[in-house]
Amino acid sequence: MELMERIERIEEQVFALMKEDQATYFLNQRLTVFLSVGTKKRRARVQTFRGKRMASIFQKIKNFLLEHPVDYDWIKVDVAKNFHFCSFAELNDQLRATRKNYFRKGIAFDARFTCAFLEEELNGNAMLTPDKDTPELRVNLKNMTRYVELQRRKIPRVVFTDQTNCILFETTSVFSEEEPIVIEMTGTVEKIRVSPRTTPFEIKTVVTQASDYLARQVQADGRFIYGYFSCFDKTIQFYNSLRHASTLYSMIEAYAVRPDVTLQHAIDRAKDYLIEHLIVQPNESAYVVDWEQDAEIKLGANAAAILALTKYMTTFKSRRELALCRALANGMLGLQQPAGNFNHVLSYPSLALKEAFRIIYYEGEATFALLRLYELDRQERWLTSVTQAFDYFIAHDYWKQHDHWLSYSVNELTKYVPDERYYRFGLQNVEQKLDFIHHRETTYPTFLELMLAAREMIGRMQADGQTDLLTTFPLDWLEATIERRMQYQLTGFYYPEVAMYMKVPERILGSFYIRHHSFRVRIDDVEHNISGYCRALEQIHQEEVVKR
């Protein structure tokens, strides 16, 4: 589509959106429009246009684009609205009270908007973070100055005092890669593409793009590029064997949703790296070693490797890795204590106990992995280990941890042992967390996994007529919270309209980020989103089959 045609379609959409509440867009009888244009290789350029009529502003925008005939991948138009005046001191107080990178308004430092920034610019350039030299400030003047210089904006010098006038504003936004897409605020911290609900098509698209991202991170030797801090394109210099294995698992889940040769090749490279470089087998037991963390052996890493390798065998119709999975499971059983719980961390090569307990997630992951192995290898010792572990989990109220791995595990366990104690544990594990999940402002992806595994278990309870435990369970609230989180997690997806404000957009396109961790992208941030959405697609498909 030609550039002028794209901007004209955006213009039509903007006029349609502004039909109602036009007064909210005017400040001192002027409209203010931000034009963001960008390519996949560099941070978007942002220009501000003002005028009394929207038609004349769009004519200025067209003239600008004609004068700068770049082959733009993306165009975004933001119309400022809902203005709020405050002092610089009041702004600073408001920023202090806001979670890092969750300030979702634009800021102008003068009434003419000559020094004004969209919230995407502010957050994407770390302009609202403490300055090391002036930690009492929450406006980072160094980063702001650097950004202005890089953008080559002609902005008059602003002297900041407590009394400096500031204008906070929201925007009506339209983005175009091809067809125009409306971006809107749907809540206090939600700014997403307009959609009546999360459709299976959109979920599959997100899973596809996220798995493509992970495939791009798998290097020739099979090792992942671990992640980036997106604002300034800084590569994370760290590695974690557990997350290598669990990310591989999610890639295989995504392959089941959308088979792809490039993805399969990346899966094979990552699998080979796991087996050849991260797993040792000194005896009948095998262990995943975290070489870069003092050669640790973690219960959770063995579990993640079993999950990845059993998923690989199921998906690609192979049994080649079964003996290795048995050895990895032997390693986990060697960590299980007579009471049923597991030791968590050993040192390699001594195999001496380093930490009896590190993090609750390891034990849920371990039991889930043993059950996935049991599905392929019906040795009773795998199932016995899990039931002994659950005796301990129940006796020690592990449900209070609201762990997604325990939700996966108890759902899997009740397929083989439909004991009321396990069902009750699974319900407790999710029920008292629902309110927190529903209203949580961060895009914590394992919440969706927790709820979907519980919903699958509940579906089996209903099918088997075991509904006594469900009489007081808030089924409708669970469904509403699942639907909300499925939409809400998309606020952490690097759609191009978000990625375009980062230093190198193409590096992080299609990934998931953690906003309050400086827009961090890490392979495990992506994998948990993929796993949740893959399970959601699976359940949607099952519902459609039942309806037929």
Side-chain angles (χ1 to χ4, degrees):
M1 189 184 300
E2 294 294 329
L3 185 60
M4 285 302 108
E5 184 180 354
R6 287 170 68 187
I7 200 65
E8 284 170 2
R9 291 199 180 187
I10 292 175
E11 183 178 7
E12 291 173 5
Q13 188 68 69
V14 167
F15 273 103
L17 292 168
M18 290 180 61
K19 282 183 178 179
E20 297 181 6
D21 299 324
Q22 287 196 24
T24 63
Y25 292 93
F26 283 89
L27 179 66
N28 298 332
Q29 300 182 327
R30 291 287 191 279
L31 294 163
T32 303
V33 177
F34 295 82
L35 171 70
S36 302
V37 288
T39 68
K40 294 176 182 177
K41 295 191 178 296
R42 59 182 58 89
R43 201 187 300 273
R45 180 177 181 181
V46 183
Q47 295 289 128
T48 308
F49 300 86
R50 303 194 75 226
K52 292 183 178 181
R53 296 172 58 249
M54 188 58 71
S56 64
I57 290 176
F58 266 95
Q59 187 57 56
K60 293 177 184 176
I61 290 173
K62 292 171 187 175
N63 292 340
F64 171 83
L65 293 173
L66 289 171
E67 292 169 6
H68 302 83
V70 178
D71 187 14
Y72 297 113
D73 293 308
W74 306 306
I75 303 172
K76 182 163 164 280
V77 167
D78 289 89
V79 186
K81 65 178 181 181
N82 297 336
F83 306 96
H84 173 74
F85 292 83
C86 66
S87 69
F88 187 74
E90 291 169 334
L91 169 64
N92 206 41
D93 288 342
Q94 189 171 339
L95 292 172
R96 277 201 189 96
T98 303
R99 186 187 294 272
K100 182 181 178 181
N101 294 324
Y102 272 82
F103 191 79
R104 304 307 303 272
K105 296 181 186 295
I107 305 173
F109 295 104
D110 67 301
R112 293 184 178 183
F113 277 67
T114 53
C115 184
F117 305 96
L118 296 168
E119 68 97 349
E120 293 92 338
E121 295 179 275
L122 294 165
N123 289 323
N125 292 276
M127 288 193 263
L128 302 181
T129 59
D131 189 315
K132 292 180 181 178
D133 296 334
T134 53
E136 73 279 1
L137 286 184
R138 288 301 182 269
V139 177
N140 192 311
L141 300 180
K142 284 184 179 178
N143 286 350
M144 185 177 290
T145 301
R146 184 185 300 116
Y147 175 69
V148 168
E149 290 172 350
L150 289 171
Q151 287 272 309
R152 298 178 181 176
R153 287 191 189 175
K154 295 180 180 178
I155 293 179
R157 186 169 182 269
V158 177
V159 178
F160 291 97
T161 68
D162 284 351
Q163 288 72 43
T164 299
N165 290 323
C166 304
I167 304 171
L168 309 184
F169 60 92
E170 298 174 0
T171 60
T172 289
S173 309
V174 180
F175 169 81
S176 172
E177 191 166 26
E178 284 292 336
E179 296 296 325
I181 298 169
V182 178
I183 315 295
E184 71 169 2
M185 291 290 291
T186 60
T188 54
V189 292
E190 300 172 74
K191 197 170 189 179
I192 58 176
R193 294 183 173 200
V194 172
S195 173
R197 66 189 303 272
T198 308
T199 64
F201 177 82
E202 180 66 12
I203 297 173
K204 188 172 182 179
T205 300
V206 165
V207 167
T208 297
Q209 292 182 8
S211 59
D212 285 346
Y213 167 82
L214 288 179
R216 295 197 303 272
Q217 307 317 302
V218 181
Q219 301 170 92
D221 64 354
R223 181 182 170 103
F224 288 95
I225 299 172
Y226 196 65
Y228 307 94
F229 287 108
S230 311
C231 294
F232 304 115
D233 192 38
K234 293 182 179 179
T235 303
I236 298 174
Q237 302 298 329
F238 180 76
Y239 213 71
N240 183 303
S241 299
L242 188 160
R243 289 170 181 153
H244 178 107
S246 56
T247 300
L248 171 61
Y249 172 67
S250 75
M251 292 170 71
I252 303 168
E253 288 181 299
Y255 181 89
V257 170
R258 190 264 328 206
D260 175 78
V261 172
T262 301
L263 179 58
Q264 183 177 357
H265 288 165
I267 288 168
D268 285 334
R269 293 198 306 277
K271 176 179 72 72
D272 291 345
Y273 187 88
L274 170 66
I275 293 172
E276 295 169 10
H277 297 280
L278 302 180
I279 295 177
V280 297
Q281 188 169 351
N283 44 51
E284 292 184 357
S285 297
Y287 304 96
V288 177
V289 181
D290 229 326
W291 299 107
E292 296 181 26
Q293 291 181 277
D294 298 325
E296 289 183 344
I297 292 170
K298 301 172 185 172
L299 173 68
N302 266 40
I306 291 173
L307 288 170
L309 296 175
T310 54
K311 187 67 175 178
Y312 185 93
M313 288 187 286
T314 302
T315 303
F316 296 105
K317 312 302 180 187
S318 166
R319 289 296 181 270
R320 185 179 300 172
E321 286 77 26
L322 186 56
L324 179 57
C325 285
R326 288 170 178 156
L328 289 164
N330 286 338
M332 292 200 302
L333 264 56
L335 293 171
Q336 191 166 24
Q337 302 305 293
N341 61 312
F342 294 83
N343 284 330
H344 284 198
V345 185
L346 304 179
S347 294
Y348 183 80
S350 69
L351 303 185
L353 180 64
K354 183 175 182 179
E355 290 182 40
F357 181 90
R358 175 171 290 180
I359 189 168
I360 192 70
Y361 300 136
Y362 287 175
E363 296 186 60
E365 199 168 6
T367 49
F368 182 42
L370 289 168
L371 288 163
R372 280 294 173 88
L373 177 58
Y374 181 72
E375 184 180 20
L376 297 180
D377 184 40
R378 293 301 177 96
Q379 294 190 40
E380 283 302 313
R381 59 190 179 127
W382 312 136
L383 184 60
T384 299
S385 171
V386 174
T387 55
Q388 289 174 347
F390 265 87
D391 286 343
Y392 186 88
F393 298 164
I394 291 169
H396 291 81
D397 293 334
Y398 268 39
W399 64 266
K400 291 181 179 179
Q401 304 297 328
H402 309 294
D403 171 25
H404 67 288
W405 289 117
L406 285 173
S407 191
Y408 277 137
S409 188
V410 74
N411 172 50
E412 208 75 17
L413 175 59
T414 52
K415 292 178 182 178
Y416 307 110
V417 189
D419 190 308
E420 182 179 300
R421 295 182 307 142
Y422 303 149
Y423 284 132
R424 183 179 292 108
F425 180 94
L427 295 175
Q428 289 174 316
N429 192 46
V430 67
E431 182 175 1
Q432 293 186 25
K433 196 72 171 180
L434 285 178
D435 287 351
F436 179 86
I437 294 172
H438 194 94
H439 299 292
R440 183 65 175 173
E441 68 177 349
T442 61
T443 56
Y444 204 69
T446 57
F447 287 156
L448 182 60
E449 295 181 87
L450 166 68
M451 293 187 294
L452 290 172
R455 180 165 74 175
E456 186 175 315
M457 185 193 73
I458 289 169
R460 192 178 317 105
M461 293 173 67
Q462 293 170 326
D464 293 343
Q466 299 194 45
T467 57
D468 290 348
L469 294 175
L470 298 175
T471 54
T472 60
F473 186 87
L475 292 171
D476 290 343
W477 190 233
L478 173 65
E479 290 301 317
T481 305
I482 288 173
E483 182 63 31
R484 172 168 167 76
R485 294 305 298 188
M486 284 172 64
Q487 290 188 25
Y488 194 78
Q489 279 180 213
L490 295 179
T491 65
F493 182 67
Y494 262 132
Y495 284 111
E497 60 266 25
V498 184
M500 68 188 293
Y501 295 96
M502 301 299 159
K503 186 175 181 179
V504 184
E506 67 181 357
R507 195 99 67 202
I508 39 93
L509 266 178
S511 65
F512 284 86
Y513 59 88
I514 303 298
R515 178 177 285 272
H516 57 284
H517 289 312
S518 302
F519 291 89
R520 181 196 73 198
V521 175
R522 223 167 53 186
I523 56 173
D524 56 309
D525 299 329
V526 181
E527 59 138 304
H528 283 298
N529 279 282
I530 287 177
S531 291
Y533 281 128
C534 283
R535 183 153 292 227
L537 283 171
E538 184 180 312
Q539 292 184 7
I540 291 169
H541 175 70
Q542 290 171 350
E543 289 172 6
E544 290 173 347
V545 169
V546 171
K547 289 178 182 177
R548 293 184 196 139

